[in-house]
């Protein structure tokens, strides 16, 4: 395809600006700091598209106060004040996952694992018609050990029971019932979580309630000796990462905020307490 031609618009308009063209095949990585207008020509050109904040762009030319970029099927100009240099390894991901609450309309105070899984399934298009109640009721059950199945009930508290299900049995259940593209990636580093997001794969993560510092307690799991677990454990869906603001984005099935960004250090402290995760690819 022939290389796109352009002209020094600013000079043509009689404006005090200098025009430049990058060397052949040279590009400059940029990201939009806020929603930005893509113009047909600099300054007063027609708006071709509104580019969302944090979108990665590649500039091939610049003229005065504008960069020449490609966005989707459009090519045009963005103002320099609306963009910034993208650092090495720049990533901005915010997956458009449909939000589901574990409290409305179904009230499942201990159903965060199944609810998070269902959000990921809906996003990937696996069994769109499955209900939250179906997922919760069909999960494998265990008397006391969450490594074998769901302990207790997702609908009411049972004193002395560690009411959750861990990644291995949840993954086995989900792979058999919904998709082989569901994988237990427990032990994954934060960088590996970011990579899954970059490939548009939401991740079910075992963290803490409201990202409070992890609190460990001993629990009876039906064995000779009790096991030590994070007592303020909570499960949610990881759906985004911003390398500039250093924040992760989550869909929290138990929080009124529903979808929100969490500082990197806070999220990783909660996640690294157990490093448990299930990705839906």
């Amino acid at each position: 395809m022939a290389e796109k031609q352009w002209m020094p618009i600013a000079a043509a308009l009689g404006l005090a600006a200098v025009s430049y063209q990058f060397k052949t095949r040279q590009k400059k990585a940029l990201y939009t700091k806020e929603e930005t207008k893509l113009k047909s020509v600099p300054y007063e050109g027609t708006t071709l598209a509104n580019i969302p904040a944090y979108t990665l762009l590649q500039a091939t030319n610049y003229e005065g106060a504008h960069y020449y970029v490609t966005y989707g099927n459009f090519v045009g100009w963005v103002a320099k004040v609306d963009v910034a240099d993208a650092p090495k390894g720049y990533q901005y991901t915010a997956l458009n996952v449909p939000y589901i609450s574990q409290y409305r309309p179904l009230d499942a105070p201990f159903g965060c694992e199944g609810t998070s899984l269902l959000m990921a399934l809906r996003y990937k298009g696996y069994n769109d018609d499955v209900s939250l109640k179906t997922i919760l009721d069909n999960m494998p059950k265990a008397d006391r050990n969450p490594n074998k199945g769901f302990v207790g009930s997702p609908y009411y508290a049972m004193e002395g029971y560690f009411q959750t299900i861990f990644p291995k049995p949840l993954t086995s259940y989900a792979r058999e019932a919904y998709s082989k593209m569901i994988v237990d990636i427990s032990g994954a580093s934060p960088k590996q979580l970011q990579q899954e997001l970059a490939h548009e794969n939401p991740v079910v993560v075992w963290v803490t309630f409201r990202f409070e510092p992890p609190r460990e307690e001993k629990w009876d799991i039906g064995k000779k000796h009790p096991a030590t677990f994070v007592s303020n454990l909570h499960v949610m869906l990881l759906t985004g990462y911003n390398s500039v603001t250093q924040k992760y984005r989550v869909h929290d099935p138990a929080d009124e905020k529903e979808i929100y960004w969490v500082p990197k250090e806070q999220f990783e402290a909660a996640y690294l307490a157990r490093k448990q995760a299930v990705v839906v690819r």
Side-chain angles (χ1 to χ4, degrees), residues 102 108-116 132 136 139 150 153-155 163 253:
Q102 67 187 82
F110 296 89
C112 54
E113 304 88 350
T115 309
S116 299
L132 177 56
L136 296 180
M139 284 192 298
F150 192 91
S153 169
Y155 305 114
Q163 293 177 247

Side-chain angles (χ1 to χ4, degrees), residues 10-209:
L13 296 176
L15 299 170
V18 180
S19 303
Y20 298 91
Q21 185 163 356
F22 293 157
K23 295 179 181 178
T24 304
R25 292 189 176 87
Q26 183 180 359
K27 295 181 180 180
K28 184 178 181 63
L30 306 167
Y31 71 91
T32 51
K33 296 185 289 186
E34 56 189 25
E35 185 175 286
T36 302
K37 294 184 183 301
L38 182 71
K39 296 282 191 175
S40 58
V41 297
Y43 305 102
E44 299 300 326
T46 301
T47 298
L48 302 175
N50 291 315
I51 306 175
Y54 297 108
T55 299
L56 183 65
L57 301 171
Q58 299 290 336
T60 53
N61 301 311
Y62 66 103
E63 177 167 316
H66 291 78
Y67 283 111
Y68 187 67
V69 303
T70 298
Y71 173 65
N73 295 323
F74 298 100
V75 289
W77 300 84
V78 293
K80 285 186 177 180
V81 296
D82 293 336
V83 297
D85 291 348
K88 184 178 181 180
Y90 173 80
Q91 180 181 343
Y92 175 78
T93 306
L95 304 180
N96 188 26
V97 176
Y99 178 80
I100 301 173
S101 169
Q102 67 187 82
Y103 291 107
R104 303 180 306 274
L106 183 68
D107 187 15
F110 296 89
C112 54
E113 304 88 350
T115 309
S116 299
L117 174 64
L118 180 57
M119 286 190 276
L121 292 174
R122 292 265 176 92
Y123 173 71
K124 286 294 189 176
Y126 301 136
N127 295 70
D128 287 342
D129 58 345
V130 67
S131 69
L132 177 56
K133 190 173 191 322
T134 296
I135 284 202
L136 296 180
D137 290 351
N138 290 339
M139 284 192 298
K141 304 300 189 294
D143 290 336
R144 285 190 172 272
N145 192 343
N147 288 300
K148 295 183 177 180
F150 192 91
V151 176
S153 169
Y155 305 114
Y156 54 85
M158 296 177 62
E159 187 175 353
Y161 289 80
F162 193 66
Q163 293 177 247
T164 188
I165 183 173
F166 282 161
K168 185 177 180 179
L170 182 66
T171 300
S172 296
Y173 159 63
R175 285 174 64 87
E176 182 177 347
Y178 303 110
S179 171
K180 298 299 182 184
M181 299 303 290
I182 300 169
V183 182
D184 180 0
I185 58 169
S186 295
S189 67
K191 186 65 177 178
Q192 288 172 308
L193 298 183
Q194 296 162 22
Q195 290 170 347
E196 290 291 351
L197 293 171
H199 287 93
E200 300 188 358
N201 301 325
V203 186
V204 180
V205 288
W206 279 248
V207 285
T208 60
F209 186 68

